[in-house]
Amino acid sequence: MNALAGKHIVLGLSGGVACYKSAELARLLVKAGATVQVVMTEAAAQFITPVTMQALTGRSVYTSQWDAREGNNMAHINLSRAADAILIAPCSADFIARLVQGRADELLSLLCLARPLQQVPLLLAPAMNREMWAHPATQRNLAQVAQDGARVLGVGCGEQACGETGDGRMLEPGEIMEELAAFFTPQRLAGQRVLITAGPTFEAIDPVRGITNLSSGKMGFAIARAARAAGAEVTLVAGPVHLPTPRGVRRIDVRSARNMLAAVEGQAPEATIFIATAAVADWRPAHSAEHKIKKDGSGMPPPLAFVENPDILAQVAASERARAGALYCVGFAAESEHLLAHASAKRVRKGVPLLVGNIGPATFGQDDNALLLIDDQGHRELPRASKDELARQLVAEIAARCPPAPPR
Ligand code: C5P
């Protein structure tokens, strides 16, 4: 189950062009299994209609504190008591100022004020022009609402509807979803620094050719996302893949196995957990030609000799920190048959406490997978599910096995 399934979210919209993104946000929340109750200010209804938001959430929208639909005529009490969280997106500069003052003259600020502080979290996704964002009044108000218990999500930087460029755009719906999911995720990896390798490597034959494999990087990226949501600081060393960087994750792009090894060696001394999901090419051409190899008319292909690549996982697992228990190493094995036998042997050969097996050809590029976890106690299956779901389960399994996070 993802962290948002079954949650009841009051989605508040205050006035701003970013209201158009809230339609997509509502859709994503519903898709994740949350129920969404939209509440809009009068200003928000100038930008997007309640009809759109009702159609997307399947619930009629509240816009007034005088809404007579509620039996007790207390929409502010009923809505705020039923919520697992209140999310204001977009949250305008004016709305932040209203929260600071504890205003209660329209439904949305009224229900924020009326929410039980200890039980119902309030998350704000600000959206405004860059000058408004940078203004000392806004920054002062943001600091105050945070001190009063609200969780202020960041803002994006870039082109704004007004034509100016800078900070203050509302986060994209997908980014807000990641923030919200992380908010509801148990912080099992808080304080851990997780280093992950993902994707294939590319081994050059000449400047335009090379050998690689069909790894998409999806599993490694899903694990990076899940580890970050669980509170870890995450560094992702990625081979050539076409995937967006998960929010809050530091990404280092590499090409070859040797590039990947160098990046990992640079980061491993800081890490407390190393998860090697990358499908590193086992061999590389012994020589990479400086210029494109030309056909010479003889009908003979050029002779290609290969040398073995360094085994990144085995090398890290043999390091002093790993052997001393300061760096918990997790390996992956993509096999085409006899998964348990091959993966168990690989765990011993690589010298890692936990090895995760999967059937390679069946999973490369797919959105779902099935995993077999092997440690010194035996093995356990994680049945077929989406890679995101499996990543969340795997993070919980790793958290249960690895040493506690070192003190800062
Ligand atoms: O030996 P094999 O490639 O099957 O091992 C798979 C595991 O070892 C994966 O965790 C993979 O990321 C890691 N590996 C590595 N460096 C290599 C080969 C594999 O880190 N050169």
PDB file of all heavy atoms in Angstrom, residues 121-149:
ATOM      1  N   PRO A 121      -2.288  17.610  10.536  1.00  0.00           N
ATOM      2  CA  PRO A 121      -1.198  18.425   9.986  1.00  0.00           C
ATOM      3  C   PRO A 121      -1.688  19.355   8.881  1.00  0.00           C
ATOM      4  O   PRO A 121      -2.632  19.031   8.160  1.00  0.00           O
ATOM      5  CB  PRO A 121      -0.222  17.399   9.432  1.00  0.00           C
ATOM      6  CG  PRO A 121      -0.988  16.139   9.290  1.00  0.00           C
ATOM      7  CD  PRO A 121      -2.125  16.181  10.254  1.00  0.00           C
ATOM      8  N   LEU A 122      -1.024  20.496   8.799  1.00  0.00           N
ATOM      9  CA  LEU A 122      -1.338  21.486   7.754  1.00  0.00           C
ATOM     10  C   LEU A 122      -0.102  21.653   6.886  1.00  0.00           C
ATOM     11  O   LEU A 122       0.969  22.009   7.384  1.00  0.00           O
ATOM     12  CB  LEU A 122      -1.711  22.820   8.419  1.00  0.00           C
ATOM     13  CG  LEU A 122      -1.913  24.023   7.493  1.00  0.00           C
ATOM     14  CD1 LEU A 122      -3.093  23.800   6.544  1.00  0.00           C
ATOM     15  CD2 LEU A 122      -2.138  25.307   8.319  1.00  0.00           C
ATOM     16  N   LEU A 123      -0.253  21.364   5.597  1.00  0.00           N
ATOM     17  CA  LEU A 123       0.875  21.513   4.667  1.00  0.00           C
ATOM     18  C   LEU A 123       0.562  22.610   3.663  1.00  0.00           C
ATOM     19  O   LEU A 123      -0.564  22.689   3.161  1.00  0.00           O
ATOM     20  CB  LEU A 123       1.135  20.206   3.916  1.00  0.00           C
ATOM     21  CG  LEU A 123       1.612  19.033   4.776  1.00  0.00           C
ATOM     22  CD1 LEU A 123       0.461  18.138   5.173  1.00  0.00           C
ATOM     23  CD2 LEU A 123       2.667  18.219   4.060  1.00  0.00           C
ATOM     24  N   LEU A 124       1.555  23.434   3.371  1.00  0.00           N
ATOM     25  CA  LEU A 124       1.338  24.568   2.481  1.00  0.00           C
ATOM     26  C   LEU A 124       2.260  24.469   1.266  1.00  0.00           C
ATOM     27  O   LEU A 124       3.471  24.280   1.409  1.00  0.00           O
ATOM     28  CB  LEU A 124       1.643  25.885   3.212  1.00  0.00           C
ATOM     29  CG  LEU A 124       1.021  26.076   4.604  1.00  0.00           C
ATOM     30  CD1 LEU A 124       1.471  27.413   5.206  1.00  0.00           C
ATOM     31  CD2 LEU A 124      -0.493  26.011   4.532  1.00  0.00           C
ATOM     32  N   ALA A 125       1.675  24.618   0.083  1.00  0.00           N
ATOM     33  CA  ALA A 125       2.476  24.676  -1.155  1.00  0.00           C
ATOM     34  C   ALA A 125       2.340  26.094  -1.710  1.00  0.00           C
ATOM     35  O   ALA A 125       1.425  26.379  -2.480  1.00  0.00           O
ATOM     36  CB  ALA A 125       1.979  23.645  -2.156  1.00  0.00           C
ATOM     37  N   PRO A 126       3.263  26.985  -1.318  1.00  0.00           N
ATOM     38  CA  PRO A 126       3.129  28.389  -1.718  1.00  0.00           C
ATOM     39  C   PRO A 126       3.243  28.571  -3.234  1.00  0.00           C
ATOM     40  O   PRO A 126       3.880  27.770  -3.919  1.00  0.00           O
ATOM     41  CB  PRO A 126       4.302  29.077  -1.011  1.00  0.00           C
ATOM     42  CG  PRO A 126       4.762  28.132   0.038  1.00  0.00           C
ATOM     43  CD  PRO A 126       4.442  26.766  -0.478  1.00  0.00           C
ATOM     44  N   ALA A 127       2.615  29.630  -3.719  1.00  0.00           N
ATOM     45  CA  ALA A 127       2.690  29.977  -5.146  1.00  0.00           C
ATOM     46  C   ALA A 127       2.486  31.479  -5.272  1.00  0.00           C
ATOM     47  O   ALA A 127       1.462  32.005  -4.829  1.00  0.00           O
ATOM     48  CB  ALA A 127       1.609  29.244  -5.927  1.00  0.00           C
ATOM     49  N   MET A 128       3.474  32.135  -5.847  1.00  0.00           N
ATOM     50  CA  MET A 128       3.335  33.587  -6.022  1.00  0.00           C
ATOM     51  C   MET A 128       4.458  34.122  -6.899  1.00  0.00           C
ATOM     52  O   MET A 128       5.426  33.404  -7.195  1.00  0.00           O
ATOM     53  CB  MET A 128       3.341  34.299  -4.663  1.00  0.00           C
ATOM     54  CG  MET A 128       4.641  34.204  -3.915  1.00  0.00           C
ATOM     55  SD  MET A 128       4.466  34.566  -2.157  1.00  0.00           S
ATOM     56  CE  MET A 128       3.674  33.086  -1.530  1.00  0.00           C
ATOM     57  N   ASN A 129       4.336  35.370  -7.277  1.00  0.00           N
ATOM     58  CA  ASN A 129       5.364  36.078  -8.040  1.00  0.00           C
ATOM     59  C   ASN A 129       6.661  36.142  -7.217  1.00  0.00           C
ATOM     60  O   ASN A 129       6.635  36.183  -5.988  1.00  0.00           O
ATOM     61  CB  ASN A 129       4.836  37.490  -8.353  1.00  0.00           C
ATOM     62  CG  ASN A 129       5.937  38.436  -8.743  1.00  0.00           C
ATOM     63  OD1 ASN A 129       6.516  39.108  -7.888  1.00  0.00           O
ATOM     64  ND2 ASN A 129       6.252  38.479 -10.027  1.00  0.00           N
ATOM     65  N   ARG A 130       7.779  36.182  -7.917  1.00  0.00           N
ATOM     66  CA  ARG A 130       9.082  36.102  -7.222  1.00  0.00           C
ATOM     67  C   ARG A 130       9.317  37.264  -6.259  1.00  0.00           C
ATOM     68  O   ARG A 130       9.929  37.100  -5.198  1.00  0.00           O
ATOM     69  CB  ARG A 130      10.218  36.006  -8.228  1.00  0.00           C
ATOM     70  CG  ARG A 130      10.411  37.258  -9.048  1.00  0.00           C
ATOM     71  CD  ARG A 130      11.368  37.068 -10.202  1.00  0.00           C
ATOM     72  NE  ARG A 130      11.374  38.278 -11.001  1.00  0.00           N
ATOM     73  CZ  ARG A 130      12.382  39.141 -11.027  1.00  0.00           C
ATOM     74  NH1 ARG A 130      13.457  38.910 -10.321  1.00  0.00           N
ATOM     75  NH2 ARG A 130      12.303  40.209 -11.777  1.00  0.00           N
ATOM     76  N   GLU A 131       8.822  38.462  -6.606  1.00  0.00           N
ATOM     77  CA  GLU A 131       9.018  39.616  -5.712  1.00  0.00           C
ATOM     78  C   GLU A 131       8.174  39.436  -4.453  1.00  0.00           C
ATOM     79  O   GLU A 131       8.611  39.762  -3.348  1.00  0.00           O
ATOM     80  CB  GLU A 131       8.637  40.932  -6.413  1.00  0.00           C
ATOM     81  CG  GLU A 131       9.452  41.260  -7.654  1.00  0.00           C
ATOM     82  CD  GLU A 131      10.907  41.618  -7.368  1.00  0.00           C
ATOM     83  OE1 GLU A 131      11.321  41.618  -6.199  1.00  0.00           O
ATOM     84  OE2 GLU A 131      11.638  41.865  -8.345  1.00  0.00           O
ATOM     85  N   MET A 132       6.961  38.910  -4.652  1.00  0.00           N
ATOM     86  CA  MET A 132       6.098  38.652  -3.490  1.00  0.00           C
ATOM     87  C   MET A 132       6.733  37.611  -2.584  1.00  0.00           C
ATOM     88  O   MET A 132       6.692  37.700  -1.362  1.00  0.00           O
ATOM     89  CB  MET A 132       4.715  38.175  -3.959  1.00  0.00           C
ATOM     90  CG  MET A 132       3.935  39.224  -4.714  1.00  0.00           C
ATOM     91  SD  MET A 132       2.507  38.518  -5.564  1.00  0.00           S
ATOM     92  CE  MET A 132       1.400  38.191  -4.202  1.00  0.00           C
ATOM     93  N   TRP A 133       7.322  36.576  -3.212  1.00  0.00           N
ATOM     94  CA  TRP A 133       7.972  35.500  -2.447  1.00  0.00           C
ATOM     95  C   TRP A 133       9.160  36.042  -1.643  1.00  0.00           C
ATOM     96  O   TRP A 133       9.356  35.707  -0.482  1.00  0.00           O
ATOM     97  CB  TRP A 133       8.423  34.399  -3.404  1.00  0.00           C
ATOM     98  CG  TRP A 133       9.248  33.320  -2.759  1.00  0.00           C
ATOM     99  CD1 TRP A 133      10.595  33.150  -2.874  1.00  0.00           C
ATOM    100  CD2 TRP A 133       8.786  32.285  -1.887  1.00  0.00           C
ATOM    101  NE1 TRP A 133      11.001  32.072  -2.139  1.00  0.00           N
ATOM    102  CE2 TRP A 133       9.912  31.518  -1.513  1.00  0.00           C
ATOM    103  CE3 TRP A 133       7.541  31.931  -1.376  1.00  0.00           C
ATOM    104  CZ2 TRP A 133       9.821  30.416  -0.660  1.00  0.00           C
ATOM    105  CZ3 TRP A 133       7.448  30.825  -0.524  1.00  0.00           C
ATOM    106  CH2 TRP A 133       8.581  30.083  -0.174  1.00  0.00           C
ATOM    107  N   ALA A 134       9.950  36.889  -2.292  1.00  0.00           N
ATOM    108  CA  ALA A 134      11.188  37.379  -1.651  1.00  0.00           C
ATOM    109  C   ALA A 134      10.899  38.490  -0.633  1.00  0.00           C
ATOM    110  O   ALA A 134      11.767  38.823   0.181  1.00  0.00           O
ATOM    111  CB  ALA A 134      12.143  37.905  -2.728  1.00  0.00           C
ATOM    112  N   HIS A 135       9.693  39.060  -0.663  1.00  0.00           N
ATOM    113  CA  HIS A 135       9.396  40.199   0.211  1.00  0.00           C
ATOM    114  C   HIS A 135       9.562  39.805   1.687  1.00  0.00           C
ATOM    115  O   HIS A 135       9.131  38.723   2.097  1.00  0.00           O
ATOM    116  CB  HIS A 135       7.964  40.688  -0.037  1.00  0.00           C
ATOM    117  CG  HIS A 135       7.728  42.059   0.508  1.00  0.00           C
ATOM    118  ND1 HIS A 135       7.563  42.300   1.860  1.00  0.00           N
ATOM    119  CD2 HIS A 135       7.662  43.259  -0.103  1.00  0.00           C
ATOM    120  CE1 HIS A 135       7.395  43.596   2.054  1.00  0.00           C
ATOM    121  NE2 HIS A 135       7.459  44.201   0.872  1.00  0.00           N
ATOM    122  N   PRO A 136      10.172  40.687   2.472  1.00  0.00           N
ATOM    123  CA  PRO A 136      10.368  40.347   3.892  1.00  0.00           C
ATOM    124  C   PRO A 136       9.064  39.996   4.607  1.00  0.00           C
ATOM    125  O   PRO A 136       9.060  39.139   5.504  1.00  0.00           O
ATOM    126  CB  PRO A 136      10.973  41.627   4.488  1.00  0.00           C
ATOM    127  CG  PRO A 136      11.478  42.412   3.335  1.00  0.00           C
ATOM    128  CD  PRO A 136      10.754  41.981   2.110  1.00  0.00           C
ATOM    129  N   ALA A 137       7.954  40.615   4.199  1.00  0.00           N
ATOM    130  CA  ALA A 137       6.679  40.314   4.877  1.00  0.00           C
ATOM    131  C   ALA A 137       6.315  38.846   4.660  1.00  0.00           C
ATOM    132  O   ALA A 137       5.916  38.137   5.598  1.00  0.00           O
ATOM    133  CB  ALA A 137       5.572  41.222   4.335  1.00  0.00           C
ATOM    134  N   THR A 138       6.490  38.360   3.414  1.00  0.00           N
ATOM    135  CA  THR A 138       6.155  36.960   3.121  1.00  0.00           C
ATOM    136  C   THR A 138       7.098  36.029   3.874  1.00  0.00           C
ATOM    137  O   THR A 138       6.664  35.047   4.490  1.00  0.00           O
ATOM    138  CB  THR A 138       6.263  36.689   1.598  1.00  0.00           C
ATOM    139  OG1 THR A 138       5.396  37.603   0.918  1.00  0.00           O
ATOM    140  CG2 THR A 138       5.874  35.272   1.259  1.00  0.00           C
ATOM    141  N   GLN A 139       8.390  36.327   3.829  1.00  0.00           N
ATOM    142  CA  GLN A 139       9.357  35.450   4.493  1.00  0.00           C
ATOM    143  C   GLN A 139       9.112  35.425   6.012  1.00  0.00           C
ATOM    144  O   GLN A 139       9.230  34.377   6.646  1.00  0.00           O
ATOM    145  CB  GLN A 139      10.791  35.896   4.167  1.00  0.00           C
ATOM    146  CG  GLN A 139      11.167  35.657   2.696  1.00  0.00           C
ATOM    147  CD  GLN A 139      11.042  34.178   2.286  1.00  0.00           C
ATOM    148  OE1 GLN A 139      11.441  33.283   3.022  1.00  0.00           O
ATOM    149  NE2 GLN A 139      10.461  33.935   1.119  1.00  0.00           N
ATOM    150  N   ARG A 140       8.774  36.599   6.559  1.00  0.00           N
ATOM    151  CA  ARG A 140       8.459  36.669   7.998  1.00  0.00           C
ATOM    152  C   ARG A 140       7.223  35.811   8.298  1.00  0.00           C
ATOM    153  O   ARG A 140       7.199  35.050   9.251  1.00  0.00           O
ATOM    154  CB  ARG A 140       8.196  38.141   8.330  1.00  0.00           C
ATOM    155  CG  ARG A 140       8.185  38.488   9.802  1.00  0.00           C
ATOM    156  CD  ARG A 140       8.239  39.996   9.999  1.00  0.00           C
ATOM    157  NE  ARG A 140       7.128  40.691   9.333  1.00  0.00           N
ATOM    158  CZ  ARG A 140       7.279  41.672   8.453  1.00  0.00           C
ATOM    159  NH1 ARG A 140       8.485  42.082   8.118  1.00  0.00           N
ATOM    160  NH2 ARG A 140       6.230  42.259   7.905  1.00  0.00           N
ATOM    161  N   ASN A 141       6.210  35.948   7.439  1.00  0.00           N
ATOM    162  CA  ASN A 141       4.974  35.178   7.651  1.00  0.00           C
ATOM    163  C   ASN A 141       5.213  33.672   7.521  1.00  0.00           C
ATOM    164  O   ASN A 141       4.648  32.878   8.261  1.00  0.00           O
ATOM    165  CB  ASN A 141       3.899  35.617   6.648  1.00  0.00           C
ATOM    166  CG  ASN A 141       3.329  36.980   7.006  1.00  0.00           C
ATOM    167  OD1 ASN A 141       3.480  37.438   8.136  1.00  0.00           O
ATOM    168  ND2 ASN A 141       2.683  37.624   6.044  1.00  0.00           N
ATOM    169  N   LEU A 142       6.058  33.294   6.557  1.00  0.00           N
ATOM    170  CA  LEU A 142       6.353  31.868   6.378  1.00  0.00           C
ATOM    171  C   LEU A 142       7.018  31.298   7.632  1.00  0.00           C
ATOM    172  O   LEU A 142       6.684  30.200   8.081  1.00  0.00           O
ATOM    173  CB  LEU A 142       7.264  31.660   5.164  1.00  0.00           C
ATOM    174  CG  LEU A 142       6.575  31.741   3.803  1.00  0.00           C
ATOM    175  CD1 LEU A 142       7.615  31.867   2.691  1.00  0.00           C
ATOM    176  CD2 LEU A 142       5.691  30.512   3.567  1.00  0.00           C
ATOM    177  N   ALA A 143       7.975  32.063   8.164  1.00  0.00           N
ATOM    178  CA  ALA A 143       8.670  31.601   9.375  1.00  0.00           C
ATOM    179  C   ALA A 143       7.649  31.452  10.511  1.00  0.00           C
ATOM    180  O   ALA A 143       7.710  30.489  11.295  1.00  0.00           O
ATOM    181  CB  ALA A 143       9.765  32.582   9.760  1.00  0.00           C
ATOM    182  N   GLN A 144       6.693  32.371  10.565  1.00  0.00           N
ATOM    183  CA  GLN A 144       5.707  32.336  11.646  1.00  0.00           C
ATOM    184  C   GLN A 144       4.748  31.146  11.506  1.00  0.00           C
ATOM    185  O   GLN A 144       4.476  30.450  12.486  1.00  0.00           O
ATOM    186  CB  GLN A 144       4.912  33.653  11.666  1.00  0.00           C
ATOM    187  CG  GLN A 144       3.984  33.771  12.873  1.00  0.00           C
ATOM    188  CD  GLN A 144       4.746  33.726  14.197  1.00  0.00           C
ATOM    189  OE1 GLN A 144       5.669  34.507  14.424  1.00  0.00           O
ATOM    190  NE2 GLN A 144       4.374  32.787  15.062  1.00  0.00           N
ATOM    191  N   VAL A 145       4.256  30.905  10.281  1.00  0.00           N
ATOM    192  CA  VAL A 145       3.321  29.762  10.133  1.00  0.00           C
ATOM    193  C   VAL A 145       4.036  28.446  10.427  1.00  0.00           C
ATOM    194  O   VAL A 145       3.439  27.527  10.979  1.00  0.00           O
ATOM    195  CB  VAL A 145       2.621  29.670   8.754  1.00  0.00           C
ATOM    196  CG1 VAL A 145       1.504  30.659   8.626  1.00  0.00           C
ATOM    197  CG2 VAL A 145       3.578  29.727   7.592  1.00  0.00           C
ATOM    198  N   ALA A 146       5.333  28.389  10.049  1.00  0.00           N
ATOM    199  CA  ALA A 146       6.091  27.165  10.343  1.00  0.00           C
ATOM    200  C   ALA A 146       6.216  26.995  11.857  1.00  0.00           C
ATOM    201  O   ALA A 146       6.062  25.891  12.396  1.00  0.00           O
ATOM    202  CB  ALA A 146       7.462  27.218   9.683  1.00  0.00           C
ATOM    203  N   GLN A 147       6.470  28.105  12.531  1.00  0.00           N
ATOM    204  CA  GLN A 147       6.589  28.039  13.996  1.00  0.00           C
ATOM    205  C   GLN A 147       5.250  27.667  14.634  1.00  0.00           C
ATOM    206  O   GLN A 147       5.212  27.017  15.673  1.00  0.00           O
ATOM    207  CB  GLN A 147       7.061  29.392  14.510  1.00  0.00           C
ATOM    208  CG  GLN A 147       7.722  29.291  15.862  1.00  0.00           C
ATOM    209  CD  GLN A 147       8.155  30.670  16.339  1.00  0.00           C
ATOM    210  OE1 GLN A 147       8.632  31.486  15.552  1.00  0.00           O
ATOM    211  NE2 GLN A 147       7.958  30.943  17.613  1.00  0.00           N
ATOM    212  N   ASP A 148       4.168  28.054  13.981  1.00  0.00           N
ATOM    213  CA  ASP A 148       2.829  27.724  14.500  1.00  0.00           C
ATOM    214  C   ASP A 148       2.409  26.300  14.142  1.00  0.00           C
ATOM    215  O   ASP A 148       1.274  25.902  14.396  1.00  0.00           O
ATOM    216  CB  ASP A 148       1.788  28.707  13.945  1.00  0.00           C
ATOM    217  CG  ASP A 148       1.977  30.118  14.500  1.00  0.00           C
ATOM    218  OD1 ASP A 148       2.734  30.275  15.481  1.00  0.00           O
ATOM    219  OD2 ASP A 148       1.381  31.058  13.935  1.00  0.00           O
ATOM    220  N   GLY A 149       3.292  25.553  13.489  1.00  0.00           N
ATOM    221  CA  GLY A 149       3.011  24.126  13.272  1.00  0.00           C
ATOM    222  C   GLY A 149       2.723  23.724  11.845  1.00  0.00           C
ATOM    223  O   GLY A 149       2.510  22.540  11.576  1.00  0.00           O
TER     224      GLY A 149
END
